[in-house]
Amino acid sequence: TGAARAPREVDWVALNPAFKDATFVKDTSTCLGCHEDAMKKYEHTTHARTFKAAARTELDKLGCEACHGPRSKHIEEPTSDLSLDRISPDGRSQICLQCHRAGKNQMHWQASAHSGGAVSCDSCHMVMERRSDLALLKTKEQESLCYDCHADVRAQMQKSSHHPVREGKMTCSNCHNPHGSTGPTMLRRATVTETCQSCHQDKRGPFVWEHPPARDNCATCHNAHGSNNRSMLVNKAQFLCLQCHSYGGHINVPRYNRTSAPTQQGCVNCHVTPHGSNHPSGAKLTR
Amino acid sequence: QQPEQPATPEATESDNGTIAEVMTGGTLGADEGSSKFNEYRDLDNGLRLFGLRYRGYTPDSGRFIEAVGTNLGLDDQSFKARAGRYGTWSAALEIDSLPHRLTNDAFSPYTDAGDGLFTVPGVVGILTTTADNVNFRASDMLENDSRIAAYLNQNLHALPQIGTDNNRMSLQLTYSPVAAIDARLTASRRTREGEKITYGPLGDRPPRTMNVELPEPIDHSETTLQFDLGYANRFFDLNLEIFAPEFSNDIDSMRWQSIYFGPDADGAADYNNDIILAGNAIVRRAVSTFGQRALPPDNRFTNTTLTFGANTALNGRFTATAAMGRLRQDETLLPYSYSTLTKDWNSTGKLPRLSAEAAIDTFLLDLQYTFAPLRGLRVRPFFRSYNLDNDTPEDQWWYVTQDAASNTTGSATFMNKRINRAYDSDRRNLGVEGTWQKKSLTLGLTIEQEAIDRGHREADTEETIIRARASYRPLQWLSLRGRAAFGQRDADGYDFRSELSSYWYTSAENGTGTNNPAFSFTNHPDMRRFDVSDRERSELDLTASATASPTLSFSATWSRRENDFDSDVTPVQPLAGTSFGAANETTLGIQLGLLSQDTSRFSFDANWNPNDRWGATAFVSLESIDLDQRGTEFSEDLRTTAQTPRIGTPGQSWVDPANLWRAGNEDETTTFGVGLNYSIIPDRLTLTADYSRSNGTVDIGYSGFGSDQPLDTIYYAFRSPETVEHVQRIANLAIEYRLPRGFVLGLRYLFDDYDVKDWMQEPQGEWVDVVSNNFVRDSTRDNRWGNRLPRLVGYLGPSYSANVGFLTLGYSW
């Protein structure tokens, strides 16, 4: 399971004109004659097993040709003319979308940044071999796959203050949906804040005393990919607060009237509830 | 770096497990004090079950069962089990544990008495006459410091590890009765228990706050239900998602005992004898024997999302998503103060309402249409609206500092009459994207308009964003990609007075008071909050990927993000038309706040796989983040007073250019790593090794106000602090030998070294005096109580160096 499917076959000729006049053979054993090594690995995949155990649609029953297209011409003349490599990234994704259309993991694919950036399903997935525990990814660990393109994020995750991604306790897809979403930067939920609060529910409130930037966008103060500052802050403690606050007195300078600024957590030493307060005296987020 | 799981035998259809004896080198034991080593893991001496895997599959029926476990029985364990029939149904159970260790080095006089109560074995018994209006190094205050130091030395005790244990269990059922329908139900529960670090302000507002650092109890649980239903036919697709997480905190509030005072000598509960002469002004302040504050409240979020999708003519795809969210929180409120203070501030009868009644509704509408009007051309118009409607009632409250009022009568001042404002927003994005592809060349252009209306904020904003991108593959082995974006955000009539509506006192109540935020200004009028200010941003990404040979590939990426928040600030007369002394004063018109942010990153990757036996990788990443900000020092107490010429001492006037300061923050990180794997004896003996180093620094260059003044006077001068530095070096080495009968013998070595230097955590800075163990004060030794802080620890996770050895045995059957 994973996606409701009502297959609508692609127009193979539109994807690759060489498919013209090719017909479906519907005989997997013919493929096996030449591609036995590949098939041995393929047998361990969810795809192979689903097709074998629960082939419900005509497309499912096509076997290899469901994804590789009508192969009659290929059998007659086994060249690479009908190879999937000859199809554009978008076209290759369309092949997968024959089945993987519904379900929140695929519904937004065509409008996603990945799709627009010439990333195709097979950029990340290896459907012919089981290399990962889930989702037939190309690599065993999801992160190494993402870092192939997002190398800067790998470096950010090495910073002192980080989410436990490099420790293997979180993955990129805990926050991002690489198949597209209605959220910014393909986040799983509608906003940055909603995504963060999926785990950090103690910060969700709503509070009697809201701190608008915290309600608006956690990324105003935090960098979820890692930071050289405590609590993944984007700036050093009190300097961060002073980017917006200039009330007078101690709220104007990085050090004033107390040890709060030069030590520990800066302004948070007294303003202990920067995400919002539920205390009746919480107007200044000190309770 | 978490050590990679030792390689298991071919992870396909075999069932296998790996156990390992962890043999730590000499230095691990010596550095166990640093919580940083085991921040998110549980690695210690002893036998451990690294991994366990079982897979069963019946080809005829398609039924399967799988189980994967890691570090079972440890604080960082994970276990997943799944069973079902491929393509039809499945049931999955997942258990995951995550430690988050904050520090192992904390000391405190506090004892957790349970239910959020923190007590101390006694009180300091400080002198209550510690004010000296002339001499800021009052001998009485120093005597108090000595008493506090002695008290702490006598009563500090080591706390057990501060941090949390997170345990999550989820059960997921999926069912697809027919191909067109797929349903998924997930129920999960996560508990989070332990402590984090917080602060317990006591007494009057800063700077007179008597503060302590202490643990905050955490006993959270989160229950989440999620239901997904997908339906597809040949014409359209539907997906329904109901997402309902609920947060519960078993400890609603925390109370902490004052270390400074005991109950009244006369035993009365009026606390009038517990008075200090606070600050440099001789004003008597009452202080309670306990502090109290609310902890994160129970809350519930329900989000229902319906997505419709349909393929259309012109190879098109239309999707429409509507989502409604409800956030609710109705925790019973605490009284204003723990103590009576003669005005019954400790009674909930003084509150305008007894529970939070906090409610926010959200609504998302997302429309996307992708189609190809011409061969090679794809067009995507889109519209997105996200509305956040805050229905929390707005009431008239008092900002009563927890334990004392601002004067001897127990009354909070008029300035502390505050209204909770129900912040809300409405965001709309409208745009069109075009992508044109011709052979190996792809060009894209997006034009987007974003408008955000905000309630109770300084400005609504509109931004026009243009994005362009190109990818080109001039040669089979070379791929080039580029992306640029430009955005111009305009803040519509930035209103520095927007916060004035959060006060409910009258002008008559203010009288001749000169600290009068409601009828003057709160933030300095020249401040521009960067999240709602004008902004010009530009982004540029360039990537080149090359496959030099079938065995060698490179990739290099350079990116830059520039944000310029210049908002054309001009001088204003914020008090024009009033009768205040500052009615004719004009600001400098020099923008305050974050001025710019400039981030650049460069990454280089290389992969070399000369043959089946060798493989090597290398990467390097350089990152630089530059922030530029400006501020000005002025006295809120003299806000409405005539400002020119300069008022009294420096740092008083809001129109004095000598009060301006500037800080440049240079945050740089260099990371590199190499990896190697070598099959010494094919299919028998393998060697893997990797090394990475991350070096992060933060340099703050401070200039302007106070940068040329002595550091130990009440000028509260500041300097460019020492560089913050984090260096992490990790090396892994593993040798594995496959024995007959499915056994795999492995020898592994981990070197993990962390070095930290941070002026915020070191007490020996020029601003901080170490009075005694865990007791620091500002180097001014000013007699305001806010300058003192008994703290739990200096470095939370200090430097460490660890050598760890593993002997592993794997078996598959």
Side-chain angles (χ1 to χ4, degrees):
Chain A
T1 60
R5 52 194 207 280
R8 180 171 32 218
E9 298 80 0
V10 292
D11 180 349
W12 288 96
V13 177
L15 298 182
N16 178 0
F19 276 104
K20 188 180 180 187
D21 299 329
T23 58
F24 288 102
V25 179
K26 301 181 182 178
D27 181 7
T28 301
S29 62
T30 306
C31 306
L32 197 60
C34 296
H35 301 286
E36 188 177 2
D37 288 347
M39 291 295 283
K40 276 186 178 174
K41 293 179 178 175
Y42 175 67
E43 283 173 3
H44 299 294
T45 67
T46 306
H47 267 161
R49 294 173 177 182
T50 301
F51 284 157
K52 188 171 184 177
R56 293 161 156 175
T57 67
E58 290 305 311
L59 188 63
D60 291 347
K61 293 169 184 170
L62 286 176
C64 303
E65 290 174 302
C67 304
H68 291 272
R71 306 308 284 180
S72 63
K73 288 176 68 178
H74 178 72
I75 292 170
E76 293 164 9
E77 189 177 356
T79 66
S80 62
D81 289 351
L82 302 185
S83 165
L84 297 184
D85 291 341
R86 301 290 179 95
I87 297 173
S88 69
D90 181 54
R92 294 202 297 276
S93 294
Q94 284 184 40
I95 296 169
C96 304
L97 292 167
Q98 292 180 110
C99 290
H100 296 279
R101 273 198 295 134
K104 62 183 178 182
N105 271 347
Q106 290 84 28
M107 289 195 77
H108 300 288
W109 170 256
Q110 282 93 332
S112 72
H114 273 163
S115 175
V119 174
S120 60
C121 303
D122 64 343
S123 300
C124 303
H125 298 280
M126 163 55 82
V127 296
M128 294 300 293
E129 189 177 341
R130 182 170 182 165
R131 297 180 180 178
S132 63
D133 279 337
L134 283 175
L136 296 179
L137 296 177
K138 272 187 165 178
T139 58
K140 183 182 176 189
E141 305 296 339
Q142 184 191 107
E143 297 74 60
S144 55
L145 184 66
C146 301
Y147 294 159
D148 270 352
C149 293
H150 303 280
D152 56 327
V153 179
R154 170 172 49 201
Q156 291 175 67
M157 291 292 182
Q158 301 293 323
K159 292 183 180 180
S160 173
S161 182
H162 62 277
H163 275 122
V165 173
R166 72 187 199 214
E167 287 83 359
K169 303 304 289 184
M170 280 182 73
T171 63
C172 304
S173 64
N174 283 130
C175 304
H176 298 278
N177 185 341
H179 304 104
S181 73
T182 57
T185 62
M186 295 199 286
L187 288 174
R188 286 210 165 267
R189 308 228 58 90
T191 65
V192 173
T193 302
E194 280 189 21
T195 304
C196 299
Q197 290 174 351
S198 297
C199 290
H200 299 278
Q201 298 189 25
D202 55 321
K203 313 289 192 301
R204 186 164 54 213
F207 297 99
V208 173
W209 303 95
E210 292 269 300
H211 189 196
R215 176 61 56 199
D216 240 5
N217 189 344
C218 303
T220 302
C221 300
H222 299 278
N223 185 339
H225 288 159
S227 167
N228 289 321
N229 303 308
R230 189 172 173 174
S231 304
M232 287 184 270
L233 293 173
V234 297
N235 199 347
K236 191 73 172 167
Q238 66 274 42
F239 284 95
L240 175 62
C241 303
L242 290 169
Q243 289 178 352
C244 287
H245 294 280
S246 182
Y247 177 84
H250 71 281
I251 306 175
N252 295 24
V253 284
R255 175 199 180 208
Y256 192 75
N257 262 7
R258 56 196 50 78
T259 51
S260 64
T263 185
Q264 309 305 95
Q265 299 188 60
C267 307
V268 171
N269 288 3
C270 290
H271 301 273
V272 290
T273 54
H275 301 102
S277 171
N278 219 42
H279 193 284
S281 288
K284 297 183 181 181
L285 306 180
T286 52
R287 298 288 184 269
Chain B
Q1 185 93 22
Q2 179 83 346
E4 285 283 325
Q5 299 303 315
T8 53
E10 186 64 25
T12 52
E13 280 310 279
S14 57
D15 314 312
N16 55 60
T18 303
I19 59 173
E21 171 69 31
V22 179
M23 304 181 302
T24 59
T27 54
L28 175 61
D31 292 309
E32 282 180 320
S34 177
S35 61
K36 192 69 178 169
F37 178 71
N38 268 334
E39 183 178 17
Y40 292 124
R41 64 183 171 191
D42 183 9
L43 183 57
D44 206 345
N45 298 335
L47 191 70
R48 56 198 289 126
L49 186 60
F50 257 133
L52 184 67
R53 181 189 301 274
Y54 175 79
R55 283 180 184 156
Y57 168 56
T58 309
D60 291 341
S61 65
R63 290 197 173 85
F64 68 92
I65 183 167
E66 299 176 345
V68 179
T70 305
N71 295 341
L72 295 177
L74 300 177
D75 288 347
D76 60 351
Q77 68 174 344
S78 74
F79 176 76
K80 298 175 186 175
R82 207 160 68 99
R85 181 170 182 256
Y86 283 109
T88 308
W89 68 273
S90 70
L93 171 71
E94 185 172 341
I95 296 171
D96 191 65
S97 300
L98 171 67
H100 187 193
R101 307 290 174 231
L102 293 174
T103 184
N104 299 336
D105 301 324
F107 284 83
S108 174
Y110 283 93
T111 299
D112 185 347
D115 200 27
L117 175 63
F118 286 80
T119 58
V120 287
V123 294
V124 175
I126 58 173
L127 301 175
T128 56
T129 54
T130 53
D132 182 336
N133 202 24
V134 179
N135 182 1
F136 286 100
R137 294 177 183 274
S139 58
D140 282 354
M141 197 67 207
L142 297 181
E143 168 62 19
N144 277 341
D145 286 349
S146 298
R147 292 187 180 199
I148 295 168
Y151 167 84
L152 292 173
N153 284 337
Q154 184 178 348
N155 293 295
L156 282 178
H157 60 269
L159 296 178
Q161 200 173 54
I162 291 185
T164 56
D165 285 301
N166 300 267
N167 292 291
R168 179 177 177 275
M169 184 167 75
S170 72
L171 181 65
Q172 185 178 76
L173 303 172
T174 63
Y175 182 49
S176 176
V178 293
I181 295 176
D182 183 78
R184 181 178 304 231
L185 177 66
T186 308
S188 69
R189 179 175 171 82
R190 185 172 80 128
T191 60
R192 186 165 173 246
E193 296 174 345
E195 291 172 326
K196 68 175 189 176
I197 293 172
T198 191
Y199 301 86
L202 279 158
D204 200 5
R205 65 170 177 81
R208 297 178 283 273
T209 298
M210 307 173 95
N211 206 357
V212 290
E213 190 176 50
L214 76 166
E216 175 181 317
I218 292 176
D219 191 357
H220 300 169
S221 60
E222 298 162 6
T223 305
T224 302
L225 282 175
Q226 183 168 343
F227 176 68
D228 294 274
L229 179 66
Y231 170 77
N233 63 29
R234 294 187 64 82
F235 306 103
F236 65 87
D237 323 314
L238 280 174
N239 194 79
L240 171 71
E241 182 209 65
I242 299 172
F243 177 61
E246 183 171 345
F247 171 82
S248 174
N249 190 349
D250 279 356
I251 305 175
D252 295 334
S253 63
M254 68 177 287
R255 286 164 291 150
W256 60 97
Q257 190 175 357
S258 168
I259 66 169
Y260 304 101
F261 289 103
D264 272 356
D266 61 4
D270 56 12
Y271 302 96
N272 284 337
N273 290 339
D274 302 329
I275 289 175
I276 61 166
L277 297 172
N280 56 337
I282 298 181
V283 179
R284 298 175 73 81
R285 312 279 177 180
V287 178
S288 173
T289 52
F290 275 88
Q292 178 175 266
R293 73 176 175 86
L295 294 178
D298 297 354
N299 65 77
R300 178 180 294 180
F301 178 49
T302 309
N303 194 77
T304 305
T305 305
L306 182 64
T307 303
F308 168 83
N311 288 3
T312 69
L314 300 176
N315 198 20
R317 170 82 174 169
F318 171 75
T319 58
T321 302
M324 289 187 297
R326 285 163 49 91
L327 294 88
R328 294 291 183 270
Q329 187 267 115
D330 196 24
E331 190 73 64
T332 301
L333 298 179
L334 295 170
Y336 284 113
S337 172
Y338 184 82
S339 55
T340 60
L341 295 169
T342 75
K343 288 291 183 182
D344 294 334
W345 292 120
N346 66 338
S347 166
T348 53
K350 300 281 280 188
L351 303 178
R353 60 179 192 261
L354 297 179
S355 63
E357 298 180 31
I360 288 178
D361 291 329
T362 63
F363 182 72
L364 168 76
L365 178 64
D366 184 277
L367 304 173
Q368 309 266 353
Y369 181 42
T370 308
F371 64 102
L374 300 170
R375 185 174 178 80
L377 177 65
R378 194 175 77 151
V379 178
R380 179 175 69 94
F382 58 90
F383 172 77
R384 185 180 192 274
S385 167
Y386 183 82
N387 178 256
L388 189 152
D389 187 15
N390 194 334
D391 291 328
T392 305
E394 294 185 342
D395 275 314
Q396 295 179 336
W397 309 80
W398 290 82
Y399 170 58
V400 182
T401 51
Q402 178 95 0
D403 313 297
S406 299
N407 57 43
T408 53
T409 69
S411 302
T413 73
F414 61 88
M415 277 184 299
N416 290 337
K417 291 181 170 182
R418 301 297 297 267
I419 295 171
N420 65 305
R421 299 183 306 167
Y423 166 76
D424 53 21
S425 63
D426 188 2
R427 179 189 299 252
R428 299 172 303 282
N429 295 70
L430 177 66
V432 62
E433 175 188 80
T435 305
W436 180 75
Q437 186 180 4
K438 180 79 172 179
K439 294 185 177 175
S440 58
L441 175 65
T442 302
L443 299 174
L445 180 68
T446 306
I447 299 173
E448 181 177 352
Q449 183 77 23
E450 178 178 87
I452 306 176
D453 298 336
R454 302 175 177 87
H456 304 300
R457 286 302 307 270
E458 291 79 2
D460 300 333
T461 54
E462 288 192 1
E463 180 172 17
T464 303
I465 309 154
I466 298 173
R467 298 187 180 90
R469 65 180 192 280
S471 63
Y472 182 45
R473 195 165 187 170
L475 301 165
Q476 189 61 30
W477 56 271
L478 179 64
S479 173
L480 304 172
R481 280 181 292 159
R483 176 186 168 278
F486 178 79
Q488 182 84 45
R489 184 176 73 184
D490 295 315
D492 179 20
Y494 189 97
D495 179 13
F496 63 83
R497 295 183 174 88
S498 72
E499 288 186 87
L500 305 190
S501 62
S502 70
Y503 294 88
W504 58 280
Y505 68 84
T506 64
S507 179
E509 284 180 278
N510 174 66
T512 58
T514 54
N515 180 7
N516 180 2
F519 296 95
S520 57
F521 53 87
T522 51
N523 252 0
H524 193 288
D526 290 344
M527 164 64 80
R528 292 294 177 272
R529 290 179 165 166
F530 71 97
D531 62 328
V532 294
S533 71
D534 288 351
R535 177 184 66 187
E536 189 174 291
R537 61 167 161 156
S538 59
E539 302 174 358
L540 182 62
D541 299 341
L542 298 172
T543 299
S545 301
T547 305
S549 73
T551 61
L552 183 62
S553 61
F554 304 98
S555 178
T557 298
W558 177 83
S559 69
R560 184 156 192 185
R561 304 276 182 275
E562 289 182 286
N563 290 288
D564 183 349
F565 300 100
D566 184 359
S567 298
D568 295 325
V569 172
T570 56
V572 295
Q573 291 185 317
L575 304 181
T578 70
S579 58
F580 297 128
N584 296 321
E585 300 291 356
T586 305
T587 66
L588 296 172
I590 296 174
Q591 184 169 337
L592 307 176
L594 182 62
L595 305 176
S596 67
Q597 183 182 47
D598 185 353
T599 302
S600 62
R601 297 187 175 103
F602 172 77
S603 302
F604 175 80
D605 277 52
N607 283 281
W608 183 53
N609 294 287
N611 54 49
D612 289 344
R613 296 180 63 181
W614 281 96
T617 61
F619 76 91
V620 61
S621 176
L622 310 172
E623 179 188 84
S624 172
I625 304 171
D626 293 334
L627 305 172
D628 184 16
Q629 66 186 111
R630 185 190 288 123
T632 187
E633 167 61 355
F634 67 95
S635 170
E636 73 269 36
D637 290 339
L638 302 170
R639 212 177 331 228
T640 60
T641 307
Q643 303 289 300
T644 52
R646 174 192 292 179
I647 306 168
T649 56
Q652 304 286 301
S653 164
W654 45 266
V655 301
D656 188 350
N659 292 345
L660 292 170
W661 59 265
R662 195 146 183 182
N665 181 317
E666 295 180 4
D667 184 325
E668 297 185 343
T669 306
T670 302
T671 313
F672 73 87
V674 291
L676 170 76
N677 60 72
Y678 176 48
S679 179
I680 301 168
I681 304 173
D683 299 324
R684 186 64 67 183
L685 184 62
T686 58
L687 167 75
T688 58
D690 63 69
Y691 174 78
S692 66
R693 178 189 166 101
S694 174
N695 187 353
T697 61
V698 180
D699 258 316
I700 295 176
Y702 181 87
S703 60
F705 180 79
S707 61
D708 56 352
Q709 297 296 315
L711 289 162
D712 58 354
T713 70
I714 59 162
Y715 208 100
Y716 296 102
F718 197 69
R719 301 275 195 278
S720 300
E722 287 185 19
T723 302
V724 175
E725 187 164 19
H726 302 270
V727 182
Q728 178 108 46
R729 295 181 298 157
I730 297 170
N732 283 289
L733 178 68
I735 298 174
E736 289 189 342
Y737 186 71
R738 290 181 184 278
L739 299 165
R741 298 178 183 274
F743 285 98
V744 179
L745 189 63
L747 188 61
R748 294 172 51 80
Y749 167 69
L750 164 69
F751 168 68
D752 189 343
D753 180 81
Y754 174 69
D755 197 19
V756 57
K757 192 173 71 170
D758 185 346
W759 57 272
M760 288 284 283
Q761 297 191 61
E762 280 185 2
Q764 288 87 1
E766 295 176 283
W767 307 277
V768 183
D769 276 348
V770 178
V771 185
S772 69
N773 290 339
N774 292 49
F775 181 37
V776 293
R777 71 179 166 210
D778 192 283
S779 58
T780 60
R781 304 182 183 182
D782 187 273
N783 62 342
R784 277 167 276 205
W785 278 99
N787 293 300
R788 274 111 185 125
L789 183 66
R791 64 179 186 174
L792 291 166
V793 62
Y795 278 102
L796 294 175
S799 305
Y800 68 80
S801 184
N803 295 276
V804 188
F806 307 81
L807 181 63
T808 67
L809 180 65
Y811 175 60
S812 63
W813 65 92

